[in-house]
Amino acid sequence: MATPSRKTATPGPLASKRPLPRDPSSEVPSKRRSSASPAPPPPRPLQSSGPFVEGSIVRIAMENFLTYDICEVSPGPHLNMIIGANGTGKSSIVCAICLGLAGKPAFMGRADKVGFFVKRGCSKGMVEIELFKISGNLVITREIDVAKNQSFWFINKKSTTQKIVEEQVAALNIQVGNLCQFLPQDKVGEFAKLSKIELLEATEKSIGPPEMHRYHCELKNFREKEKQLETSCKEKTEYLEKMIQRNERYKQDVERFYERKRHLDLIEMLEAKRPWVEYENVRQEYEEVKLARDRVKEEVRKLKEGQIPMTHRIEEIEKQRHNLEARIKEKATDIKETSQKCKQKQDVIERKDKHIEELQQALAVKQNEEHDRQRRISNTRKMIEDLQNELKNTENCENLQPQIDAITSDLRQIQDEKALCEGEIIDMRREKETLEKEKKNVEEHIVRFDNLMNQKEDKLRQRYRDTYDAVLWLRNNRDKFKQRVCEPIMLTINMKDNKNAKYVENHISSNDLRAFVFESQEDMEVFLKEVRDNKKLRVNAVMAPEHSCADKAPSVSLNELKQYGFFSYLRELFDAPNPVMSYLCYQYHIHEVPVGTERTRERIERVIQETQLKQFYTAEEKYVVKTSFYSNKHITVNTSLKVAQFLTVTVDLEQRRHLEEQLKEINRKLQAVESGLIALREKNKHLEHRDNELRQKKKELLERKTKKRQLEQKISSKLGSLKLMEQDTCNLEEEEQKASTKIKEINVQKAKLVTELTNLIKICTSLHIQKVNLILQNTTVISEKNKLESDYMAASSQLRLTEQHFIELDENRQRLLQKCKELMKRARQVCNLGAEQTVPQEYQTQVPTIPNGHNSSPPMAFQDLPNTLDEIDALLTEERSRASCFTGLNPTVVEEYTKREEEIEQLTEELKIKKVELDKYRESISQVKERWLNPLKELVEKINEKFSNFFSSMQCAGEVDLHTENEEDYDKYGIRIRVKFRSSTQLHELTPHHQSGGERSVSTMLYLMALQELNRCPFRVVDEINQGMDPINERRVFEMVVNTACKENTSQYFFITPKLLQNLPYSEKMTVLFVYNGPHMLEPNRWNLKAFQRRRRRITFTQPSQ
């Protein structure tokens, strides 16, 4: 028995799995024995061949691989039986062989990543395979990194690459991906599923010569190329015939096309010449216009020369006119000054007249005053007489004073009441103004709150329209609910600081942020039935806990956390109604989640290790700390915080409700004040009316009381006035003499002034006459100037007309010149001429040649074509009519005809090349087929012979043959296995469905045994293939395996099984590896098989004596 060793990585009764040591009496080469020393030495490459074949496995070492901590296995050169209970680690050795020899994880059918083969809890694993080579053993080491899922390769302890390892393994003909060589436990069932083609390929790779599979691949490639060439030749031949036939059909159309082309060529010549004729016509017209323009230009010059004398005369007259106008202005100035002096004299005379009028008026006034004084004296005497009569008739009014005193007392009382009332009115007005100001301030605060609330509601409406519609419905139907219903959490939460909104939004899910919060389950059902079922709105609703959690204290005081940079719990960052706060504490534990700063981020390791917090926030990140169920290690997940969207707007709903109540109270007080003002105004109005009545009554009494005194005073006053008027007398005669003397003096002065005025008028008249003479002279000059200007204007008008005619002719010349250039450019473009080229030679002499030997009749020479547009257009119309008679002709027909002619020639040449290439491939196929098929038939015959012998020894029948449906389809060749387990049945092909699991296992095992003696691979691995066999077949198969695998010069064989039947035959060349595990296994360095045997003998000897 081989002796694998194992070392556990972690202590514990269930952690160790140790294979049992082998029996020292087994005839196994010493190089396979394990060392009993405390630490096994590193493997030393074997140099001698012994019974091992090239590429056999000498040693397998595993560390932290699947079930093993440390294990080393030394297999034998022939049959290796690996036995152990299920789960002990037998298949782990198979996996180690596969992965250690650069096999892929998928070959075992267990996992798709190499990292999964490392023992759980370890970060790295290692597999080491030592292969026998005559020149020196090959040690391949594969280290596996779990974190990176990568492998690191070493050959003889030197670092290398996986590609080099694969090349070394392939050079030894090791194929861990070939089910005929390497059949792991999870792939046993897939062997029977192999198709005939896949089985042939696996067999070729496993036991055939190295060139056999290469020849097969070449044949398949050659055959594929041959098919492609045959198809290509056939398609090209058919296509060539079709093209030839098609060209014959279109030949007449091509000839008609060239006939039509002759007419088109003539049309092209005509169209090419037509621009030249147009150009010549326009050029001639241009020359005519140019001559007319030059004539008009000369006429313009003569008219301009004729205007020069007239211009000089007009300038002289203009100077003369300026002199006359200057003299006229001087006379006008003198006239103005003389007129000014006349006016001054007239003003003095008028003032003298006015003075006379004033003297006369003063005298008249004095006369009137004297007459008026006499009249007033008479009137005053009469008034005194009337007043004296009235005084005699006036009664005594001394008894009116008590009535006046009583009314005065009433008036004083009413004034006091009125003052008191007006004071109250003023106070109430002030109170009203104060209340109105308070009302305005409160309304402005409410409007600001509403604007903020509208912002939040707008965000809700834009993002969650259904939730917004449900909010509107709730506000209109609150009477339907028994207990309090809170609007969506995002509307009811009010951040104390907007900067902290991101923590709350990242902590509470978006579904709960737009959820309605209920205190009653019945209310929530009513709400959901109406909103979800009837209105079809998608809304969320949650229930607040029955017992409020809003005031629940945190498990850790904030003061203890401040040392880590935490400044608050989430709950203290915002305000919310009690049901909402209770729900958030219950559902999201916001009273247990602290919020920190960058200082917290800097001390994150201490926070995780010391605080035992499950969730917390730093300035820009959220941390969630979990504890591993298996290792009790902390697992931390941190995520960056998203920017807040909804909670950045803060609305204090409690303050708003307080403001609404305050507004109601102010409105109530305003109504009370307004009512009081109305009552006080009515009272004040009544007092005012009473005051007016008393005053009127008092006034009447006072008037009655003072009337006698007034009459006496009036009589006294009138007597005084009469005395004064009698004393104020005037002498009218004296006044009249004074006035007459003054008037005479003024008239003398006035006469002197009139004489001076007459002289000035004469001077002014003389100046006016001189001015008129100058004006007449100026008029004559202006008349002459106007006549000259009229003549000049007539000449200028004729000049303008002539110049306009010149401009029109010049513009026409420019237009014709431009047109000539355009026509010249177009004509040259039509003829493909350069700037200095003349008419091309081909339009004069050359006859166009049509491809493929067709010539059109020679066209007319360019100079022989008509020279007028009418003739050219007539000929064009005629030729176009003739060309249009050739209907149904497509220019692409000629192109396709010519193209097909070229393709026919090209295809003919390609077809010759393809046929030559096809003959070469057929010759190659014949040669390679002979090299591949004959050895393959011999190989399959040998396999069939051994396979049939194995089945015959089991009283069954089986055969292997080379099967194909078509001898030329080399990719359809395959190996067909047919078996018969009962004499009453026929041979049936081995399939995954026809035979039982045990029959498939027996057939697979016997086929592999048939390959064993023929196999050129160094080893074969079969894992638990005997599981589905009955005891009889299992015994027969085991005997065949032992007999076949233990022969000389056979390859190494690994047979893995969890159990064996009793009394099976064994061979001395077998190596049996027992795999055990358990809590009481010894450490590898303490394993001493000889000591165990001595102890066993002592126990056997001492038992009888006891």
Side-chain angles (χ1 to χ4, degrees):
M1 292 187 296
T3 312
S5 62
R6 174 170 172 77
K7 179 179 179 182
T8 59
T10 55
L14 300 178
S16 298
K17 298 180 181 178
R18 297 187 179 84
L20 223 62
R22 59 190 176 124
D23 188 352
S25 62
S26 301
E27 294 183 4
V28 181
S30 60
K31 63 185 74 176
R32 293 185 290 109
R33 300 178 185 272
S34 299
S35 174
S37 60
R44 181 172 55 86
L46 300 176
Q47 300 297 328
S48 62
S49 62
F52 284 93
V53 298
E54 187 88 357
S56 298
I57 297 175
V58 176
R59 181 176 59 86
I60 306 168
M62 295 166 284
E63 182 176 345
N64 296 331
F65 186 81
L66 290 176
T67 58
Y68 296 102
D69 292 324
I70 297 177
C71 182
E72 185 174 303
V73 179
S74 299
H78 299 293
L79 176 62
N80 291 273
M81 300 291 296
I82 301 177
I83 306 173
N86 290 330
T88 54
K90 304 184 301 300
S91 296
S92 299
I93 299 175
V94 176
C95 295
I97 295 172
C98 178
L99 296 179
L101 296 177
K104 297 179 181 179
F107 291 167
M108 278 83 72
R110 285 194 172 193
D112 57 349
K113 292 183 180 179
V114 70
F116 292 152
F117 290 87
V118 177
K119 185 175 181 181
R120 185 174 181 180
C122 299
S123 60
K124 290 185 179 180
M126 185 273 291
V127 175
E128 188 171 86
I129 306 293
E130 182 177 348
L131 301 176
F132 175 77
K133 287 185 71 175
I134 296 175
S135 60
N137 286 5
L138 182 69
V139 180
I140 299 174
T141 307
R142 182 175 189 172
E143 293 183 358
I144 303 170
D145 190 326
V146 176
K148 299 180 180 179
N149 194 40
Q150 291 181 347
S151 297
F152 304 94
W153 297 89
F154 303 88
I155 294 181
N156 294 333
K157 302 301 180 180
K158 295 181 180 180
S159 178
T160 185
T161 63
Q162 182 175 351
K163 184 177 181 180
I164 295 175
V165 173
E166 291 174 349
E167 291 174 355
Q168 293 278 3
V169 171
L172 296 172
N173 199 30
I174 299 174
Q175 306 169 20
V176 292
N178 190 341
L179 295 182
C180 291
Q181 179 178 346
F182 193 89
L183 191 62
Q185 177 181 351
D186 296 315
K187 294 284 186 176
V188 170
E190 292 188 11
F191 185 88
K193 297 179 183 179
L194 289 176
S195 65
K196 296 186 286 291
I197 299 170
E198 293 171 338
L199 184 59
L200 172 61
E201 184 177 351
T203 303
E204 284 177 339
K205 293 179 180 178
S206 178
I207 65 171
E211 67 274 5
M212 179 176 285
H213 181 64
R214 177 167 55 81
Y215 286 155
H216 191 187
C217 293
E218 288 179 1
L219 275 175
K220 288 190 284 187
N221 293 333
F222 287 160
R223 177 55 182 161
E224 185 65 28
K225 287 286 187 180
E226 182 186 18
K227 288 180 180 179
Q228 293 176 0
L229 288 171
E230 287 175 350
T231 304
S232 178
C233 289
K234 183 178 178 182
E235 291 175 352
K236 288 182 181 296
T237 303
E238 293 175 354
Y239 184 58
L240 182 61
E241 292 174 355
K242 289 180 181 178
M243 291 183 70
I244 293 172
Q245 292 173 4
R246 189 177 298 174
N247 261 17
E248 288 297 325
R249 287 198 304 271
Y250 289 121
K251 187 173 183 180
Q252 185 178 0
D253 291 341
V254 173
E255 291 175 352
R256 292 179 68 241
F257 175 81
Y258 286 125
E259 178 66 19
R260 177 174 176 271
K261 190 174 187 304
R262 186 185 67 78
H263 296 288
L264 294 177
D265 290 341
L266 180 55
I267 291 171
E268 183 180 357
M269 293 289 287
L270 289 169
E271 290 177 343
K273 183 172 182 180
R274 193 178 190 282
W276 291 101
V277 175
E278 288 180 350
Y279 164 73
E280 183 61 27
N281 293 340
V282 175
R283 190 190 66 78
Q284 292 177 0
E285 185 180 356
Y286 166 77
E287 293 296 337
E288 295 174 358
V289 171
K290 183 178 179 185
L291 290 174
R293 168 187 170 276
D294 293 340
R295 288 195 299 270
V296 173
K297 184 177 181 182
E298 181 64 21
E299 186 178 351
V300 168
R301 186 185 65 77
K302 291 179 180 179
L303 287 172
K304 287 182 178 179
E305 290 178 354
Q307 282 184 330
I308 293 174
M310 201 178 299
T311 305
H312 292 329
R313 179 58 183 161
I314 290 172
E315 291 175 355
E316 292 175 358
I317 292 173
E318 184 66 21
K319 290 180 182 178
Q320 187 178 357
R321 186 181 66 81
H322 281 305
N323 292 331
L324 289 173
E325 287 180 352
R327 291 174 63 189
I328 291 170
K329 286 181 181 178
E330 290 177 359
K331 295 299 179 183
T333 302
D334 294 340
I335 291 171
K336 185 177 179 182
E337 291 176 355
T338 305
S339 299
Q340 187 67 32
K341 291 178 180 179
C342 291
K343 189 174 184 310
Q344 290 175 357
K345 297 297 181 182
Q346 287 177 348
D347 291 341
V348 174
I349 292 170
E350 289 176 357
R351 284 199 294 274
K352 296 297 180 181
D353 291 337
K354 190 174 181 181
H355 191 192
I356 293 171
E357 290 177 0
E358 289 175 355
L359 291 174
Q360 291 174 350
Q361 287 177 359
L363 180 60
V365 168
K366 288 181 178 180
Q367 291 173 349
N368 291 333
E369 287 179 352
E370 181 62 24
H371 294 312
D372 185 59
R373 186 178 67 82
Q374 294 297 329
R375 181 179 52 80
R376 283 189 286 111
I377 289 172
S378 176
N379 291 335
T380 302
R381 287 174 178 171
K382 185 178 181 181
M383 289 176 62
I384 291 172
E385 186 179 353
D386 292 337
L387 288 172
Q388 289 174 351
N389 293 332
E390 186 179 356
L391 180 61
K392 291 178 181 180
N393 299 324
T394 302
E395 63 179 349
N396 189 9
C397 298
E398 294 179 1
N399 56 353
L400 296 176
Q401 190 60 39
Q403 296 180 20
I404 293 172
D405 294 340
I407 291 173
T408 302
S409 177
D410 292 341
L411 279 172
R412 193 177 295 110
Q413 184 178 357
I414 288 173
Q415 288 293 335
D416 294 341
E417 291 180 4
K418 187 178 176 182
L420 182 61
C421 182
E422 288 177 351
E424 291 179 357
I425 289 173
I426 291 171
D427 293 341
M428 283 195 172
R429 283 178 179 171
R430 290 175 180 171
E431 184 179 357
K432 182 181 178 181
E433 290 175 358
T434 303
L435 290 173
E436 286 177 346
K437 288 181 181 178
E438 290 180 3
K439 179 181 178 181
K440 185 177 179 181
N441 291 333
V442 171
E443 287 175 344
E444 289 176 353
H445 277 79
I446 292 175
V447 168
R448 286 198 290 271
F449 276 114
D450 290 343
N451 290 337
L452 293 175
M453 195 64 185
N454 289 337
Q455 291 180 20
K456 298 181 75 173
E457 292 176 2
D458 286 342
K459 290 184 179 181
L460 178 65
R461 176 174 54 80
Q462 293 170 6
R463 188 73 178 272
Y464 306 109
R465 185 54 188 257
D466 286 0
T467 306
Y468 177 75
D469 293 341
V471 170
L472 298 180
W473 180 89
L474 175 64
R475 291 175 179 174
N476 296 327
N477 297 273
R478 287 193 179 274
D479 56 341
K480 295 185 178 181
F481 304 103
K482 297 179 180 178
Q483 295 188 29
R484 184 176 181 182
V485 179
C486 296
E487 292 182 357
I489 294 176
M490 62 185 293
L491 295 181
T492 57
I493 283 181
N494 290 287
M495 300 301 302
K496 296 179 180 178
D497 190 341
N498 294 344
K499 294 186 294 185
N500 298 326
K502 58 184 178 181
Y503 303 117
V504 180
E505 284 198 26
N506 279 271
H507 193 73
I508 304 172
S509 69
S510 60
N511 286 336
D512 276 357
L513 278 175
R514 58 191 177 96
F516 294 81
V517 182
F518 292 83
E519 292 184 330
S520 167
Q521 183 69 29
E522 182 181 353
D523 287 346
M524 187 169 74
E525 291 174 358
V526 171
F527 175 80
L528 293 178
K529 181 178 180 182
E530 180 65 31
V531 174
R532 282 187 183 172
D533 299 343
N534 297 343
K535 295 187 174 296
K536 307 299 181 184
L537 299 178
R538 292 175 295 178
V539 298
N540 297 337
V542 296
M543 276 289 298
E546 184 177 354
H547 300 290
S548 177
C549 302
D551 299 326
K552 193 173 181 181
S555 57
V556 181
S557 172
L558 184 62
N559 292 329
E560 299 178 17
L561 300 177
K562 285 184 177 179
Q563 58 177 318
Y564 304 107
F566 293 105
F567 64 88
S568 174
Y569 282 101
L570 274 178
R571 182 177 61 183
E572 278 66 42
L573 297 180
F574 63 90
D575 295 324
N578 190 70
V580 174
M581 189 69 78
S582 177
Y583 172 76
L584 294 178
C585 289
Y586 176 78
Q587 184 68 25
Y588 290 96
H589 307 288
I590 58 174
H591 61 291
E592 296 282 1
V593 180
V595 181
T597 59
E598 283 298 329
R599 182 183 172 193
T600 310
R601 178 69 183 85
E602 294 170 0
R603 305 184 179 188
I604 194 65
E605 294 296 334
R606 286 186 57 199
V607 172
I608 295 171
Q609 296 296 331
E610 298 176 6
T611 62
Q612 304 299 320
L613 292 172
K614 301 298 182 185
Q615 293 185 68
F616 58 88
Y617 288 86
T618 62
E620 297 296 335
E621 292 180 321
K622 175 182 178 180
Y623 283 82
V624 178
V625 182
K626 297 180 181 178
T627 304
S628 173
F629 180 76
Y630 300 99
S631 61
N632 289 328
K633 293 181 179 180
H634 291 302
I635 301 172
T636 305
V637 179
N638 64 313
T639 54
S640 297
L641 298 181
K642 298 178 182 178
V643 179
Q645 298 179 354
F646 300 108
L647 302 181
T648 54
V649 179
T650 302
V651 180
D652 192 340
L653 295 179
E654 290 296 331
Q655 187 177 355
R656 190 185 185 285
R657 282 194 291 271
H658 175 70
L659 288 173
E660 287 178 347
E661 293 174 358
Q662 188 176 349
L663 182 62
K664 292 179 182 178
E665 181 63 23
I666 291 170
N667 287 331
R668 186 187 62 75
K669 289 181 179 180
L670 278 173
Q671 291 178 356
V673 169
E674 190 65 32
S675 300
L677 276 174
I678 293 171
L680 288 172
R681 288 193 184 102
E682 288 295 329
K683 182 179 179 181
N684 191 44
K685 185 177 179 182
H686 176 71
L687 292 173
E688 187 74 28
H689 180 69
R690 178 62 177 161
D691 182 73
N692 291 335
E693 289 179 351
L694 291 174
R695 285 181 183 277
Q696 185 63 29
K697 190 174 181 181
K698 181 180 179 182
K699 182 180 179 181
E700 292 175 357
L701 292 174
L702 288 173
E703 287 177 353
R704 289 171 59 189
K705 180 179 180 181
T706 59
K707 187 175 182 180
K708 183 178 181 181
R709 190 181 309 126
Q710 289 175 354
L711 288 172
E712 291 175 350
Q713 290 176 355
K714 283 181 180 181
I715 291 171
S716 175
S717 176
K718 293 296 180 184
L719 289 173
S721 298
L722 179 60
K723 186 177 181 180
L724 289 174
M725 284 188 291
E726 288 176 345
Q727 292 175 356
D728 188 15
T729 59
C730 179
N731 191 349
L732 290 176
E733 293 179 358
E734 185 179 352
E735 291 296 329
E736 287 175 357
Q737 288 178 358
K738 289 180 181 178
S740 178
T741 302
K742 289 182 179 179
I743 289 171
K744 287 179 181 180
E745 292 175 358
I746 291 171
N747 283 332
V748 172
Q749 295 174 2
K750 183 177 175 185
K752 185 178 179 181
L753 289 172
V754 169
T755 303
E756 293 175 357
L757 176 62
T758 303
N759 294 332
L760 289 173
I761 290 173
K762 289 178 180 180
I763 295 170
C764 186
T765 303
S766 176
L767 290 173
H768 273 291
I769 292 170
Q770 294 174 12
K771 180 181 177 183
V772 169
N773 290 332
L774 291 173
I775 290 171
L776 290 174
Q777 293 177 16
N778 190 37
T779 303
T780 304
V781 171
I782 291 172
S783 176
E784 184 180 357
K785 179 188 174 186
N786 290 339
K787 184 176 182 304
L788 288 172
E789 286 180 347
S790 176
D791 295 340
Y792 182 81
M793 292 298 293
S796 297
S797 177
Q798 185 178 358
L799 178 61
R800 280 197 300 273
L801 292 175
T802 307
E803 287 179 341
Q804 183 66 32
H805 188 203
F806 171 77
I807 292 170
E808 291 175 356
L809 288 172
D810 191 60
E811 289 177 352
N812 194 18
R813 182 188 69 83
Q814 293 288 346
R815 180 181 58 79
L816 291 173
L817 178 61
Q818 186 64 29
K819 189 174 181 181
C820 284
K821 291 180 181 179
E822 292 176 356
L823 290 173
M824 172 65 78
K825 183 178 179 182
R826 184 157 63 90
R828 289 184 176 276
Q829 286 177 350
V830 170
C831 297
N832 295 322
L833 293 177
E836 302 298 331
Q837 290 177 309
T838 59
V839 179
Q841 187 67 23
E842 59 267 21
Y843 282 102
Q844 301 176 13
T845 58
Q846 183 178 345
V847 178
T849 300
I850 311 302
N852 301 322
H854 298 282
N855 293 332
S856 65
S857 58
M860 298 175 66
F862 193 68
Q863 62 270 24
D864 295 333
L865 295 174
N867 292 322
T868 64
L869 290 176
D870 293 338
E871 292 174 349
I872 290 174
D873 291 340
L875 187 55
L876 272 173
T877 303
E878 181 182 352
E879 289 300 320
R880 284 169 180 164
S881 298
R882 290 179 179 178
S884 64
C885 293
F886 295 91
T887 58
L889 296 179
N890 192 344
T892 58
V893 172
V894 179
E895 295 177 5
E896 291 176 358
Y897 180 87
T898 307
K899 187 177 179 181
R900 276 195 295 272
E901 286 289 335
E902 295 173 356
E903 287 184 3
I904 288 170
E905 183 179 351
Q906 185 179 355
L907 280 173
T908 304
E909 186 64 28
E910 288 179 359
L911 195 56
K912 290 179 183 177
I913 296 172
K914 291 288 183 183
K915 287 181 178 179
V916 171
E917 188 177 358
L918 180 60
D919 293 338
K920 289 182 180 178
Y921 269 106
R922 285 174 176 167
E923 184 179 354
S924 300
I925 288 173
S926 177
Q927 295 174 359
V928 176
K929 180 180 179 182
E930 184 177 354
R931 298 190 196 118
W932 170 72
L933 189 57
N934 293 335
L936 177 61
K937 288 181 179 179
E938 294 176 3
L939 183 64
V940 172
E941 188 61 33
K942 292 179 182 178
I943 295 172
N944 180 47
E945 180 182 352
K946 294 189 176 293
F947 188 76
S948 299
N949 292 336
F950 287 146
F951 262 86
S952 298
S953 65
M954 297 176 60
Q955 289 79 42
C956 299
E959 66 178 31
V960 177
D961 62 358
L962 188 63
H963 177 267
T964 183
E965 296 177 357
N966 183 0
E967 188 176 351
E968 300 300 326
D969 291 338
Y970 304 106
D971 55 344
K972 298 294 191 296
Y973 275 77
I975 290 181
R976 180 174 61 179
I977 301 176
R978 294 193 297 167
V979 296
K980 182 177 73 171
F981 288 90
R982 287 168 288 280
S983 59
S984 59
T985 60
Q986 299 293 326
L987 285 170
H988 289 284
E989 186 176 347
L990 180 65
T991 65
H993 312 294
H994 191 274
Q995 288 80 16
S996 66
E999 291 172 345
R1000 290 198 301 274
S1001 298
V1002 170
S1003 302
T1004 301
M1005 194 66 187
L1006 294 183
Y1007 184 79
L1008 296 178
M1009 294 307 302
L1011 301 181
Q1012 179 68 15
E1013 293 183 0
L1014 302 174
N1015 199 357
R1016 61 183 181 87
C1017 63
F1019 66 86
R1020 177 174 284 106
V1021 177
V1022 180
D1023 189 359
E1024 296 191 14
I1025 197 170
N1026 60 336
Q1027 290 303 297
M1029 301 182 189
D1030 58 73
I1032 297 175
N1033 286 331
E1034 184 177 357
R1035 186 177 296 276
R1036 292 173 179 173
V1037 169
F1038 185 81
E1039 291 175 359
M1040 294 178 190
V1041 170
V1042 172
N1043 294 332
T1044 303
C1046 293
K1047 290 181 179 180
E1048 293 294 333
N1049 299 323
T1050 59
S1051 60
Q1052 194 178 32
Y1053 203 103
F1054 289 88
F1055 187 85
I1056 293 92
T1057 178
K1059 49 86 179 179
L1060 287 175
L1061 299 175
Q1062 295 182 356
N1063 301 320
L1064 291 174
Y1066 296 94
S1067 171
E1068 293 295 329
K1069 296 182 179 181
M1070 289 174 58
T1071 300
V1072 181
L1073 302 173
F1074 289 93
V1075 183
Y1076 281 92
N1077 66 1
H1080 304 295
M1081 300 298 295
L1082 291 175
E1083 296 294 332
N1085 56 4
R1086 294 173 58 192
W1087 193 271
N1088 190 333
L1089 189 59
K1090 292 182 180 179
F1092 296 157
Q1093 291 175 336
R1094 286 196 300 270
R1095 189 180 303 166
R1096 177 62 181 170
R1097 284 195 293 270
R1098 285 198 303 269
I1099 293 172
T1100 302
F1101 293 151
T1102 58
Q1103 279 180 351
S1105 63
Q1106 292 176 355

